Amino acid sequence: MENLFKLSDLSVEAIKEILVEAEEFANGRKWDGVKGKKIANLFFEPSTRTHYRFIVAVQNLGMITKNFN
């Protein structure tokens, strides 16, 4: 896993690879590398919409959520 602090840290080839992969995901590619993993959501500000968007996103990835309010 790499850390990215600024775009200039990436090569042109790396940027192209990211764009190709992003397009594949936009077209329905699935990634099950996180399937069955558990994730905890901590919400410090009340926002029902954000809370439920996070739940749906996590479930779409096949993960299990535990929410702390």
Coordinates of all heavy atoms in Angstrom, one line a residue:
M1 N 0.8 -1.2 0.0 CA 0.0 0.0 0.0 C 0.9 1.2 0.0 O 1.8 1.3 0.7 CB -0.9 0.0 1.2 CG -1.8 1.2 1.3 SD -2.8 1.1 2.8 CE -4.3 1.6 2.1
E2 N 0.5 2.2 -0.8 CA 1.3 3.4 -0.9 C 0.5 4.5 -0.3 O -0.7 4.5 -0.3 CB 1.6 3.7 -2.4 CG 2.5 2.7 -3.1 CD 2.8 3.0 -4.5 OE1 2.9 4.2 -4.8 OE2 2.9 2.1 -5.3
N3 N 1.3 5.5 0.1 CA 0.7 6.8 0.5 C 0.8 7.8 -0.6 O 1.8 7.9 -1.2 CB 1.4 7.3 1.8 CG 1.1 6.4 3.0 OD1 0.0 6.0 3.2 ND2 2.2 6.1 3.7
L4 N -0.3 8.6 -0.8 CA -0.3 9.6 -1.8 C -0.5 10.9 -1.2 O -1.6 11.2 -0.6 CB -1.4 9.2 -2.9 CG -1.5 10.2 -4.0 CD1 -0.2 10.3 -4.8 CD2 -2.7 9.9 -4.8
F5 N 0.5 11.8 -1.3 CA 0.3 13.1 -0.7 C 0.1 14.2 -1.7 O -0.5 15.2 -1.5 CB 1.6 13.4 0.2 CG 1.7 12.6 1.4 CD1 2.6 11.5 1.4 CD2 0.8 12.7 2.5 CE1 2.7 10.7 2.6 CE2 0.9 11.9 3.6 CZ 1.8 10.9 3.6
K6 N 0.6 13.9 -2.9 CA 0.4 14.9 -4.0 C 0.5 14.2 -5.3 O 1.1 13.1 -5.5 CB 1.4 16.0 -4.0 CG 2.9 15.6 -3.9 CD 3.8 16.8 -3.7 CE 5.2 16.2 -3.5 NZ 6.2 16.9 -3.1
L7 N -0.2 14.7 -6.3 CA -0.4 14.0 -7.6 C 1.0 13.9 -8.3 O 1.3 12.9 -9.0 CB -1.3 14.8 -8.5 CG -1.8 14.2 -9.8 CD1 -2.4 12.8 -9.5 CD2 -2.7 15.1 -10.5
S8 N 1.9 14.8 -8.1 CA 3.2 14.7 -8.7 C 4.1 13.5 -8.2 O 5.1 13.2 -8.8 CB 4.0 16.0 -8.5 OG 4.2 16.3 -7.1
D9 N 3.6 12.9 -7.1 CA 4.3 11.7 -6.6 C 4.0 10.5 -7.5 O 4.7 9.5 -7.4 CB 3.8 11.3 -5.2 CG 4.3 12.3 -4.1 OD1 5.3 13.1 -4.4 OD2 3.7 12.4 -3.0
L10 N 3.0 10.6 -8.4 CA 2.7 9.5 -9.3 C 3.3 9.6 -10.7 O 3.4 10.7 -11.2 CB 1.2 9.4 -9.4 CG 0.4 9.0 -8.2 CD1 -1.1 9.1 -8.5 CD2 0.7 7.6 -7.7
S11 N 3.7 8.5 -11.3 CA 4.1 8.6 -12.6 C 2.9 8.6 -13.6 O 1.8 8.4 -13.1 CB 4.9 7.3 -13.0 OG 4.0 6.2 -12.9
V12 N 3.1 9.0 -14.8 CA 2.0 9.1 -15.8 C 1.4 7.7 -15.9 O 0.2 7.5 -16.0 CB 2.6 9.6 -17.1 CG1 1.5 9.5 -18.2 CG2 3.0 11.0 -17.0
E13 N 2.2 6.6 -15.9 CA 1.7 5.3 -16.1 C 0.8 4.9 -14.9 O -0.2 4.3 -15.1 CB 2.9 4.3 -16.2 CG 2.5 2.9 -16.5 CD 1.7 2.8 -17.9 OE1 2.0 3.5 -18.8 OE2 0.7 2.0 -17.9
A14 N 1.2 5.3 -13.7 CA 0.4 5.0 -12.5 C -0.9 5.7 -12.6 O -2.0 5.1 -12.2 CB 1.2 5.4 -11.2
I15 N -1.0 6.9 -13.0 CA -2.2 7.7 -13.2 C -3.1 7.0 -14.2 O -4.3 6.8 -14.0 CB -1.9 9.1 -13.6 CG1 -1.2 9.8 -12.4 CG2 -3.2 9.8 -13.9 CD1 -0.7 11.2 -12.7
K16 N -2.5 6.5 -15.3 CA -3.3 5.8 -16.3 C -3.9 4.5 -15.8 O -5.1 4.2 -16.0 CB -2.4 5.5 -17.6 CG -2.1 6.7 -18.4 CD -1.2 6.3 -19.6 CE -0.8 7.5 -20.4 NZ 0.1 7.1 -21.5
E17 N -3.1 3.8 -15.0 CA -3.6 2.6 -14.4 C -4.8 2.9 -13.4 O -5.8 2.1 -13.4 CB -2.5 1.9 -13.6 CG -1.5 1.2 -14.5 CD -0.3 0.6 -13.7 OE1 -0.5 0.3 -12.5 OE2 0.8 0.5 -14.2
I18 N -4.7 3.9 -12.7 CA -5.8 4.3 -11.8 C -7.1 4.6 -12.5 O -8.2 4.2 -12.2 CB -5.4 5.5 -10.9 CG1 -4.3 5.0 -9.9 CG2 -6.6 6.1 -10.1 CD1 -3.6 6.2 -9.1
L19 N -6.9 5.4 -13.6 CA -8.1 5.8 -14.4 C -8.7 4.6 -15.1 O -10.0 4.5 -15.2 CB -7.6 6.8 -15.5 CG -7.2 8.2 -14.9 CD1 -6.7 9.1 -16.0 CD2 -8.4 8.8 -14.2
V20 N -7.9 3.6 -15.6 CA -8.5 2.4 -16.2 C -9.2 1.6 -15.2 O -10.4 1.2 -15.4 CB -7.3 1.6 -16.8 CG1 -7.8 0.2 -17.2 CG2 -6.8 2.2 -18.1
E21 N -8.7 1.5 -14.0 CA -9.3 0.7 -12.9 C -10.6 1.4 -12.5 O -11.6 0.8 -12.2 CB -8.4 0.5 -11.7 CG -8.8 -0.6 -10.8 CD -7.7 -1.0 -9.9 OE1 -6.7 -1.6 -10.3 OE2 -7.8 -0.7 -8.7
A22 N -10.6 2.7 -12.4 CA -11.8 3.5 -12.0 C -12.9 3.3 -13.0 O -14.1 3.1 -12.6 CB -11.4 5.0 -11.8
E23 N -12.5 3.3 -14.2 CA -13.6 3.1 -15.3 C -14.2 1.7 -15.2 O -15.4 1.5 -15.3 CB -13.0 3.3 -16.7 CG -14.0 3.2 -17.8 CD -13.4 3.6 -19.1 OE1 -12.2 3.7 -19.3 OE2 -14.2 3.9 -20.0
E24 N -13.3 0.7 -14.9 CA -13.8 -0.7 -14.7 C -14.8 -0.8 -13.5 O -15.9 -1.4 -13.7 CB -12.7 -1.6 -14.4 CG -11.8 -1.9 -15.7 CD -10.5 -2.7 -15.4 OE1 -10.3 -3.0 -14.2 OE2 -9.7 -2.9 -16.3
F25 N -14.5 -0.1 -12.4 CA -15.4 -0.1 -11.3 C -16.7 0.7 -11.6 O -17.8 0.2 -11.2 CB -14.8 0.5 -10.0 CG -13.9 -0.4 -9.3 CD1 -12.5 -0.2 -9.3 CD2 -14.4 -1.6 -8.7 CE1 -11.6 -1.1 -8.7 CE2 -13.5 -2.4 -8.0 CZ -12.1 -2.2 -8.0
A26 N -16.6 1.7 -12.4 CA -17.8 2.5 -12.8 C -18.7 1.7 -13.7 O -19.9 1.9 -13.7 CB -17.4 3.8 -13.5
N27 N -18.1 0.7 -14.4 CA -18.8 -0.2 -15.3 C -19.3 -1.4 -14.6 O -19.7 -2.4 -15.3 CB -18.0 -0.5 -16.6 CG -17.9 0.8 -17.4 OD1 -18.7 1.6 -17.5 ND2 -16.7 0.9 -18.1
G28 N -19.2 -1.5 -13.3 CA -19.7 -2.7 -12.6 C -18.7 -3.7 -12.1 O -19.1 -4.7 -11.5
R29 N -17.5 -3.5 -12.3 CA -16.5 -4.4 -11.7 C -16.6 -4.6 -10.2 O -16.9 -3.6 -9.5 CB -15.1 -4.0 -12.1 CG -14.0 -4.9 -11.4 CD -12.6 -4.4 -11.8 NE -11.6 -5.0 -10.9 CZ -10.4 -4.5 -10.7 NH1 -10.0 -3.5 -11.4 NH2 -9.6 -5.1 -9.9
K30 N -16.6 -5.8 -9.7 CA -16.7 -6.0 -8.3 C -15.3 -6.3 -7.7 O -14.5 -6.9 -8.3 CB -17.7 -7.1 -8.0 CG -19.1 -6.9 -8.5 CD -19.7 -5.8 -7.7 CE -21.2 -5.6 -8.2 NZ -21.8 -4.4 -7.7
W31 N -15.1 -6.0 -6.4 CA -13.9 -6.3 -5.7 C -14.3 -7.0 -4.4 O -15.0 -6.3 -3.6 CB -13.0 -5.1 -5.5 CG -11.8 -5.3 -4.8 CD1 -10.7 -6.1 -5.2 CD2 -11.3 -4.8 -3.5 NE1 -9.7 -6.1 -4.3 CE2 -10.1 -5.3 -3.3 CE3 -11.9 -4.0 -2.6 CZ2 -9.4 -5.0 -2.1 CZ3 -11.2 -3.7 -1.5 CH2 -9.9 -4.2 -1.2
D32 N -13.9 -8.2 -4.2 CA -14.3 -8.9 -3.0 C -13.2 -9.1 -2.0 O -13.3 -9.9 -1.1 CB -15.0 -10.2 -3.3 CG -14.0 -11.2 -4.0 OD1 -12.9 -10.8 -4.4 OD2 -14.4 -12.3 -4.2
G33 N -12.2 -8.2 -2.1 CA -11.1 -8.3 -1.2 C -11.4 -7.9 0.3 O -10.7 -8.2 1.2
V34 N -12.6 -7.3 0.5 CA -13.0 -6.9 1.8 C -14.3 -7.7 2.2 O -14.8 -7.5 3.3 CB -13.3 -5.4 1.9 CG1 -12.0 -4.6 1.7 CG2 -14.3 -5.0 0.9
K35 N -14.7 -8.6 1.4 CA -16.0 -9.4 1.7 C -15.9 -10.1 3.1 O -14.9 -10.7 3.4 CB -16.2 -10.4 0.6 CG -17.6 -10.9 0.7 CD -17.9 -11.7 -0.6 CE -19.4 -11.8 -0.7 NZ -19.9 -11.4 -1.9
G36 N -16.9 -9.9 3.9 CA -16.9 -10.5 5.2 C -16.1 -9.8 6.3 O -16.2 -10.1 7.5
K37 N -15.4 -8.7 5.9 CA -14.7 -8.0 6.9 C -15.7 -7.1 7.7 O -16.7 -6.8 7.3 CB -13.6 -7.0 6.3 CG -12.6 -7.7 5.4 CD -11.5 -8.3 6.3 CE -10.5 -8.9 5.3 NZ -9.4 -9.4 6.0
K38 N -15.3 -6.8 8.9 CA -16.1 -5.9 9.8 C -15.5 -4.5 9.8 O -14.3 -4.3 9.8 CB -16.2 -6.5 11.2 CG -16.8 -7.8 11.2 CD -16.8 -8.4 12.6 CE -17.5 -9.8 12.5 NZ -17.1 -10.7 13.6
I39 N -16.4 -3.5 9.8 CA -16.0 -2.1 9.9 C -16.9 -1.4 10.9 O -18.1 -1.7 11.1 CB -16.1 -1.5 8.5 CG1 -15.5 -0.1 8.6 CG2 -17.6 -1.4 8.1 CD1 -15.3 0.6 7.2
A40 N -16.2 -0.5 11.7 CA -17.0 0.2 12.7 C -17.1 1.7 12.2 O -16.1 2.3 11.8 CB -16.2 0.2 14.0
N41 N -18.3 2.2 12.2 CA -18.5 3.6 11.9 C -18.7 4.4 13.1 O -19.5 4.1 14.0 CB -19.7 3.8 11.0 CG -19.5 3.2 9.6 OD1 -18.5 3.2 9.0 ND2 -20.6 2.6 9.1
L42 N -18.0 5.5 13.3 CA -18.1 6.4 14.4 C -18.7 7.8 13.8 O -18.0 8.4 13.0 CB -16.8 6.6 15.1 CG -16.2 5.4 15.7 CD1 -14.7 5.7 16.1 CD2 -17.0 5.0 16.9
F43 N -19.8 8.2 14.3 CA -20.4 9.4 13.8 C -20.5 10.4 15.0 O -21.2 10.1 16.0 CB -21.8 9.2 13.2 CG -21.7 8.5 11.9 CD1 -21.9 7.1 11.9 CD2 -21.4 9.1 10.7 CE1 -21.8 6.4 10.7 CE2 -21.3 8.4 9.5 CZ -21.5 7.1 9.5
F44 N -19.8 11.5 14.9 CA -19.8 12.5 16.0 C -20.8 13.6 15.8 O -21.1 14.3 16.7 CB -18.4 13.0 16.2 CG -17.4 12.0 16.5 CD1 -16.5 11.5 15.6 CD2 -17.3 11.5 17.8 CE1 -15.6 10.5 15.9 CE2 -16.4 10.5 18.2 CZ -15.6 10.0 17.2
E45 N -21.3 13.8 14.6 CA -22.3 14.8 14.2 C -23.5 14.0 13.7 O -23.4 13.1 12.9 CB -21.7 15.7 13.2 CG -20.5 16.5 13.6 CD -20.8 17.5 14.7 OE1 -21.9 18.0 14.8 OE2 -19.9 17.8 15.5
P46 N -24.7 14.4 14.1 CA -25.9 13.8 13.7 C -26.2 14.1 12.2 O -26.4 15.2 11.9 CB -27.0 14.3 14.6 CG -26.5 15.6 15.1 CD -25.0 15.5 15.1
S47 N -26.1 13.1 11.4 CA -26.5 13.2 10.0 C -27.0 11.9 9.5 O -26.2 11.0 9.1 CB -25.2 13.7 9.1 OG -25.6 13.6 7.8
T48 N -28.3 11.8 9.5 CA -28.9 10.5 9.1 C -28.6 10.1 7.7 O -28.2 9.0 7.4 CB -30.5 10.7 9.2 OG1 -30.8 11.0 10.5 CG2 -31.2 9.4 8.8
R49 N -28.5 11.1 6.7 CA -28.2 10.8 5.3 C -26.8 10.2 5.2 O -26.6 9.2 4.6 CB -28.4 12.0 4.5 CG -28.1 11.8 3.0 CD -28.3 13.0 2.2 NE -27.4 14.1 2.6 CZ -27.5 15.3 2.2 NH1 -28.5 15.7 1.4 NH2 -26.7 16.2 2.6
T50 N -25.8 10.9 5.9 CA -24.4 10.4 5.8 C -24.3 9.0 6.5 O -23.7 8.1 5.9 CB -23.5 11.4 6.5 OG1 -23.6 12.6 5.9 CG2 -22.1 10.9 6.5
H51 N -25.0 8.9 7.6 CA -24.9 7.6 8.3 C -25.4 6.5 7.4 O -24.8 5.4 7.3 CB -25.8 7.7 9.6 CG -25.9 6.5 10.4 ND1 -25.1 6.2 11.4 CD2 -26.8 5.5 10.3 CE1 -25.5 5.1 12.0 NE2 -26.5 4.6 11.3
Y52 N -26.6 6.6 6.8 CA -27.1 5.6 6.0 C -26.4 5.4 4.7 O -26.3 4.3 4.2 CB -28.6 5.8 5.7 CG -29.4 5.4 7.0 CD1 -30.0 6.4 7.8 CD2 -29.6 4.1 7.4 CE1 -30.6 6.1 8.9 CE2 -30.2 3.8 8.5 CZ -30.8 4.8 9.3 OH -31.5 4.5 10.4
R53 N -25.8 6.4 4.1 CA -24.9 6.3 2.9 C -23.7 5.4 3.3 O -23.3 4.6 2.4 CB -24.5 7.6 2.4 CG -25.6 8.3 1.6 CD -25.0 9.7 1.1 NE -26.0 10.3 0.3 CZ -26.1 10.3 -1.0 NH1 -25.2 9.7 -1.7 NH2 -27.0 11.0 -1.6
F54 N -23.1 5.6 4.4 CA -22.0 4.8 4.8 C -22.4 3.3 5.0 O -21.7 2.4 4.6 CB -21.4 5.3 6.1 CG -20.3 6.3 5.9 CD1 -20.6 7.6 5.6 CD2 -19.0 6.0 6.0 CE1 -19.7 8.6 5.4 CE2 -18.0 6.9 5.8 CZ -18.3 8.2 5.5
I55 N -23.6 3.1 5.6 CA -24.0 1.7 5.8 C -24.2 1.0 4.4 O -23.8 -0.1 4.2 CB -25.4 1.7 6.6 CG1 -25.1 2.1 8.1 CG2 -26.0 0.3 6.6 CD1 -26.3 2.3 8.9
V56 N -24.9 1.7 3.5 CA -25.2 1.1 2.2 C -23.8 0.9 1.5 O -23.7 -0.2 0.8 CB -26.1 2.1 1.4 CG1 -26.2 1.6 -0.1 CG2 -27.5 2.1 2.0
A57 N -22.9 1.8 1.5 CA -21.6 1.6 0.8 C -20.9 0.4 1.4 O -20.4 -0.4 0.6 CB -20.8 2.9 1.0
V58 N -20.9 0.3 2.7 CA -20.2 -0.9 3.3 C -20.9 -2.2 2.9 O -20.2 -3.1 2.6 CB -20.1 -0.7 4.8 CG1 -19.7 -1.9 5.5 CG2 -19.2 0.5 5.2
Q59 N -22.2 -2.2 2.9 CA -22.9 -3.4 2.6 C -22.7 -3.7 1.1 O -22.6 -4.9 0.7 CB -24.4 -3.3 2.9 CG -24.6 -3.3 4.4 CD -26.1 -3.0 4.8 OE1 -26.9 -2.5 4.0 NE2 -26.4 -3.2 6.0
N60 N -22.7 -2.7 0.2 CA -22.4 -3.0 -1.2 C -21.1 -3.6 -1.4 O -20.9 -4.3 -2.4 CB -22.5 -1.7 -2.0 CG -23.9 -1.2 -2.2 OD1 -24.9 -2.0 -2.0 ND2 -24.1 0.0 -2.6
L61 N -20.1 -3.4 -0.5 CA -18.8 -4.0 -0.6 C -18.8 -5.4 0.0 O -17.8 -6.1 0.0 CB -17.7 -3.1 0.0 CG -17.4 -1.8 -0.7 CD1 -16.5 -0.9 0.1 CD2 -16.8 -2.1 -2.1
G62 N -19.9 -5.8 0.6 CA -20.0 -7.1 1.2 C -19.4 -7.2 2.6 O -19.2 -8.2 3.2
M63 N -19.2 -6.0 3.3 CA -18.7 -6.0 4.6 C -19.8 -5.9 5.6 O -21.0 -5.6 5.3 CB -17.7 -4.8 4.8 CG -16.5 -4.9 3.9 SD -15.2 -3.7 4.2 CE -16.0 -2.1 4.1
I64 N -19.5 -6.1 6.9 CA -20.5 -6.0 8.0 C -20.2 -4.8 8.8 O -19.1 -4.4 9.1 CB -20.3 -7.3 8.9 CG1 -20.5 -8.5 8.0 CG2 -21.2 -7.2 10.0 CD1 -19.9 -9.8 8.7
T65 N -21.3 -4.0 9.1 CA -21.1 -2.8 9.8 C -21.5 -2.9 11.3 O -22.4 -3.6 11.6 CB -21.9 -1.6 9.2 OG1 -23.3 -2.0 9.3 CG2 -21.6 -1.4 7.8
K66 N -20.8 -2.1 12.1 CA -21.2 -1.9 13.5 C -21.1 -0.4 13.7 O -20.1 0.2 13.4 CB -20.3 -2.6 14.4 CG -20.6 -2.4 15.9 CD -22.0 -3.0 16.2 CE -22.3 -2.7 17.7 NZ -23.7 -3.0 17.9
N67 N -22.2 0.2 14.0 CA -22.3 1.7 14.1 C -22.3 2.1 15.6 O -23.0 1.5 16.4 CB -23.5 2.2 13.4 CG -23.4 1.9 11.9 OD1 -22.5 2.5 11.2 ND2 -24.3 1.1 11.4
F68 N -21.6 3.1 15.9 CA -21.5 3.7 17.2 C -22.0 5.1 17.1 O -21.5 5.9 16.3 CB -20.1 3.7 17.8 CG -19.5 2.3 18.0 CD1 -18.8 1.7 17.0 CD2 -19.8 1.6 19.1 CE1 -18.3 0.5 17.1 CE2 -19.3 0.3 19.3 CZ -18.5 -0.3 18.3
N69 N -23.0 5.5 17.8 CA -23.5 6.9 17.8 C -23.1 7.7 18.9 O -22.9 7.2 20.0 CB -25.1 6.8 17.7 CG -25.6 6.2 16.4 OD1 -25.0 6.3 15.4 ND2 -26.7 5.4 16.5

